[in-house]
Amino acid sequence: MKILSFIKRLNATELGLVATNDTFIAIPKEVDLSSVLINQQAMHISDRKTGIDYTPQNSNIKYVQIGQNGQERISGLGHYYTAVNAKVGDEILIERIDDKNGSRYILDFYHRKAIVFQKYPDGVEILPNDYIYQYADGDDYRMRVQYEGKNCNLEIKFIMQKKKKAISPAETKFYDLVIDGKSILSKYSYQEYIEIITDGMRLGRMKTYLYSIAEMMEEEDE
């Protein structure tokens, strides 16, 4: 038996929360799915929790080898994201299982309950979900977090509101991340994702994907 697993932690663009309104999984350049998925062909894939089958007759979930900006993606996930109430920072799994009965594809989903930020030159943007609102303090947010192994006070301090680009349709609010009175923004790179897992309030970098291949011996029928 061979199991290929690809897990993606979702951002606002993939969930259709920006101007394009597309819903998909972006496949990083480091991950090659071309040998296990068929380009531009609607998939037959089953949801592990509900047992619902998504087929070419009722959905259009498919691997797109050359999408927008040359980016590979798995598209057509709008209905699935709605069904599972997907939010920024949640995990979606695409799995292919090859065994003596052939190949089958599995979907799975996990709510991580993460507050997610993305770094820009003017500060961090708070990506849209509703987990941060309980920590509001005027224009800012305050909370206790676990950071680098210590319990710390975190201030998410409003800096400015402006367009990311001249052609952006709307302005974005930018914030500083301040731990015990000191900004930590310089520790993160441009467009890097930062998260707070609300179960334990752990603050750190968000690993955006996991990819693995496992092979095991199948037991022979008696």
Side-chain angles (χ1 to χ4, degrees), residues 27-62:
I27 301 173
K29 288 182 170 56
E30 297 82 2
V31 176
D32 182 8
L33 298 182
S34 62
S35 63
V36 295
L37 298 176
I38 300 173
N39 186 39
Q40 293 287 3
Q41 181 174 307
M43 300 170 64
H44 184 159
I45 189 165
S46 301
D47 181 64
R48 176 167 282 144
K49 289 189 176 70
T50 65
I52 294 173
D53 287 332
Y54 294 86
T55 71
Q57 289 72 41
N58 63 23
S59 82
N60 195 34
I61 298 173
K62 63 183 177 182

Side-chain angles (χ1 to χ4, degrees), residues 135-155:
Y135 303 102
D137 182 8
D139 291 333
D140 304 331
Y141 301 88
R142 300 176 190 273
M143 62 194 75
R144 293 280 290 175
V145 297
Q146 290 278 335
Y147 178 69
E148 295 185 342
K150 299 178 182 178
N151 287 314
C152 305
N153 291 313
L154 171 66
E155 296 176 81

